[in-house]
Amino acid sequence: MKLKQLFTKVNKTITAGEETLQVQRQELSHLQSQLQDKQTKLSQVSNALNVISASLVIDENDKQALAQKGKAENTIESLKVDIVTLEGEINELNSKVSDSEKAVKEAKGESFKQEVVKKRALIQLKKQLAYDINSLYAVENSDWFSWAEGYGYEVRNEQIVNFTGATNSYSKKIVNENEVISHLQQMNDEATELAEEKAQELADKIKDFTAQLLKDEGLL
């Protein structure tokens, strides 16, 4: 899979995860608010029940007080059930929020890792390209004798006489050397100029191709 596709996938995961977290946190806040309301009401009803119970100490047959006591006790039991239910929902949602936070952190970590991969890939690519290009080098083996022979000028093998008078070695000699080399120097300069132009042309093409390839792969 191309890095570009991986980046897109991870970014979508981060966005979706953050959206899920936002919804979960809003729901959690709502449940916590409900729990707080229930707990406050429980405290209030419990205090009211204490007051009612105190009045029944004075008159244990007070019908109105007995009715209020029964109603308060039922309300307390109902509130306790609601509180237990809300606490369970909050605990469950807290667990989900924790999982979502962990998933988002992991996705962001993966995004960071991919940025590192991107930079290291470019560094390694630079090294590899340099190595590959160096492996294509050609050793030029062209002296003036080669040039002269290439252009059809006469090159002679002349005998070399040493101090003993022996002639057991030879030396190449370009006929009309000054005139020939002057011409060959001009041809050599033209060859250098054409080679530099061709190298620049190829370098531009490689640069454009490489830039497009890196964009397609998500490295640029």
Side-chain angles (χ1 to χ4, degrees), residues 60-107:
E60 61 182 14
N61 296 318
D62 187 335
K63 293 182 179 180
Q64 184 178 1
L66 288 170
Q68 289 178 335
K69 180 183 179 184
K71 187 175 181 180
E73 289 172 342
N74 290 336
T75 301
I76 288 174
E77 290 303 314
S78 177
L79 286 171
K80 287 182 177 179
V81 171
D82 291 344
I83 288 172
V84 170
T85 301
L86 285 169
E87 287 176 339
E89 291 176 356
I90 288 172
N91 289 335
E92 183 179 351
L93 191 53
N94 270 325
S95 179
K96 290 181 179 179
V97 168
S98 179
D99 290 341
S100 296
E101 287 175 340
K102 182 179 179 181
V104 170
K105 287 180 180 178
E106 288 179 351

Side-chain angles (χ1 to χ4, degrees), residues 9 18 21 34 41 46 60 63 73 90 99 115-117 121 125 129 135 145 155-156 170-171 174 190 209:
K9 183 178 179 180
E18 288 178 337
L21 261 178
Q34 284 185 315
K41 190 172 182 180
S46 295
E60 61 182 14
K63 293 182 179 180
E73 289 172 342
I90 288 172
D99 290 341
E115 285 291 341
V116 173
V117 170
L125 175 63
L129 287 176
S135 68
F145 300 114
V155 178
R156 295 176 181 173
Y170 295 86
S171 175
I174 299 173
E190 288 181 5
F209 173 81

Side-chain angles (χ1 to χ4, degrees), residues 14-202:
I14 293 173
T15 300
E18 288 178 337
E19 289 175 351
T20 298
L21 261 178
Q22 184 178 4
V23 172
Q24 289 175 337
R25 284 168 176 166
Q26 288 175 345
E27 184 179 353
L28 183 61
S29 177
H30 177 66
L31 289 175
Q32 288 171 335
S33 177
Q34 284 185 315
L35 177 62
Q36 186 175 1
D37 289 342
K38 297 286 185 181
Q39 289 172 333
T40 300
K41 190 172 182 180
L42 176 61
S43 177
Q44 292 171 341
V45 175
S46 295
N47 290 335
L49 179 60
N50 290 335
V51 173
I52 295 170
S53 297
S55 68
L56 286 172
V57 171
I58 299 172
D59 184 0
E60 61 182 14
N61 296 318
D62 187 335
K63 293 182 179 180
Q64 184 178 1
L66 288 170
Q68 289 178 335
K69 180 183 179 184
K71 187 175 181 180
E73 289 172 342
N74 290 336
T75 301
I76 288 174
E77 290 303 314
S78 177
L79 286 171
K80 287 182 177 179
V81 171
D82 291 344
I83 288 172
V84 170
T85 301
L86 285 169
E87 287 176 339
E89 291 176 356
I90 288 172
N91 289 335
E92 183 179 351
L93 191 53
N94 270 325
S95 179
K96 290 181 179 179
V97 168
S98 179
D99 290 341
S100 296
E101 287 175 340
K102 182 179 179 181
V104 170
K105 287 180 180 178
E106 288 179 351
K108 288 183 176 179
E110 184 64 23
S111 178
F112 174 80
K113 185 179 74 174
Q114 288 178 9
E115 285 291 341
V116 173
V117 170
K118 174 181 175 180
K119 292 175 183 178
R120 289 183 181 176
L122 289 173
I123 293 171
Q124 188 59 37
L125 175 63
K126 181 180 177 181
K127 292 179 181 179
Q128 188 63 46
L129 287 176
Y131 173 81
D132 291 341
I133 290 174
N134 287 335
S135 68
L136 297 175
Y137 79 97
V139 177
E140 182 180 356
N141 186 18
S142 56
D143 52 25
W144 289 128
F145 300 114
S146 300
W147 275 90
E149 291 170 344
Y151 271 85
Y153 290 111
E154 184 178 0
V155 178
R156 295 176 181 173
N157 286 321
E158 295 185 347
Q159 292 180 335
I160 297 177
V161 179
N162 60 27
F163 70 95
T164 63
T167 57
N168 59 352
S169 62
Y170 295 86
S171 175
K172 285 187 176 183
K173 178 71 175 177
I174 299 173
V175 178
N176 299 322
E177 182 175 313
N178 291 336
E179 178 183 342
V180 170
I181 289 181
S182 177
H183 175 244
L184 294 179
Q185 182 66 60
Q186 181 181 353
M187 297 302 99
N188 180 65
D189 291 344
E190 288 181 5
T192 298
E193 182 179 354
L194 289 171
E196 289 175 350
E197 289 177 357
K198 176 54 67 176
Q200 186 61 54
E201 177 187 343
L202 293 174

